[in-house]
Amino acid sequence: MSVVSQPLNIAVLTISDTRTLENDKSGDYLKEALTSVGHNLYDRDLVKDDIYQQRAVVSKWIADKNIHAVLITGGTGFTHRDSTPEAISVLFDKEVDGFGELFRQISYEEIGTSTIQSRAVAGFANNTVIFCLPGSTGACRTAWEKIISSQLDADFRPCNFVKHLVES
């Protein structure tokens, strides 16, 4: 994979009632993936699957003009504790409607109809793009490698998100 020409500052948030930063394989994967192409890991955190804890961290990050993107892993399923879409989507100024659809289309090839249980979403808030991903490392890999990495690359054509994230 090539190095990006315009590095972005990216924050990673893991939503989990059971993991810690020491055993967070999905967050570790995202950190390695984004830094390996030249982006900067600006901040990283882990919170319980609680809508107010999630909103507090993400609100702080979207208010920080130095953060261009937020990657959230976990809390997008159907258990009674999964609340990431409800917690985060209210912060969006605009939704990226096609993200969840494309993620599920690609995931279908990997996990079949189980993909309908993914509530992956994305949107923009205060010129920051936010991606809410399932908690599995495989799902994070799929989202990063097949969708997110190219959209966070200023050289990807015909279009990418970078021009919406970086002030000219």
Side-chain angles (χ1 to χ4, degrees):
M1 186 165 270
S2 63
V3 175
V4 294
S5 63
Q6 188 165 6
L8 300 175
N9 294 326
I10 302 175
V12 174
L13 177 62
T14 300
I15 309 302
S16 179
D17 291 335
T18 58
R19 295 183 206 167
T20 65
L21 286 175
E22 292 74 34
N23 66 10
D24 176 22
K25 293 178 182 173
S26 296
D28 288 344
Y29 168 78
L30 291 170
K31 173 187 171 186
E32 176 59 32
L34 70 92
T35 58
S36 71
V37 297
H39 293 302
N40 304 308
L41 179 67
Y42 191 84
D43 202 356
R44 183 172 175 190
D45 205 348
L46 184 147
V47 299
K48 299 281 186 206
D49 202 333
D50 175 89
I51 61 174
Y52 303 105
Q53 290 182 37
Q54 292 180 53
R55 286 178 187 161
V57 171
V58 175
S59 292
K60 178 182 76 169
W61 286 345
I62 61 179
D64 185 336
K65 292 292 185 190
N66 294 311
I67 296 178
H68 303 110
V70 174
L71 306 178
I72 303 172
T73 174
T76 62
F78 277 99
T79 72
H80 73 284
R81 293 284 296 161
D82 289 326
S83 61
T84 300
E86 291 78 15
I88 305 304
S89 62
V90 297
L91 301 175
F92 294 163
D93 299 324
K94 291 184 181 184
E95 286 194 40
V96 180
D97 295 322
F99 174 73
E101 297 161 353
L102 181 57
F103 176 79
R104 285 182 285 280
Q105 177 188 353
I106 294 167
S107 291
Y108 179 77
E109 300 302 319
E110 299 172 4
I111 63 171
T113 60
S114 294
T115 194
I116 66 170
Q117 294 193 36
S118 168
R119 297 185 309 132
V121 296
F124 278 84
N126 196 30
N127 298 316
T128 304
V129 66
I130 303 162
F131 295 96
C132 302
L133 314 173
S136 77
T137 305
C140 290
R141 182 176 295 111
T142 297
W144 177 262
E145 292 179 2
K146 299 186 178 174
I147 306 170
I148 299 170
S149 62
S150 59
Q151 286 300 300
L152 297 182
D153 182 347
D155 297 325
F156 184 79
R157 300 290 180 256
C159 59
N160 60 73
F161 287 142
V162 176
K163 66 181 178 182
H164 304 292
L165 307 173
V166 179
E167 294 181 26
S168 314

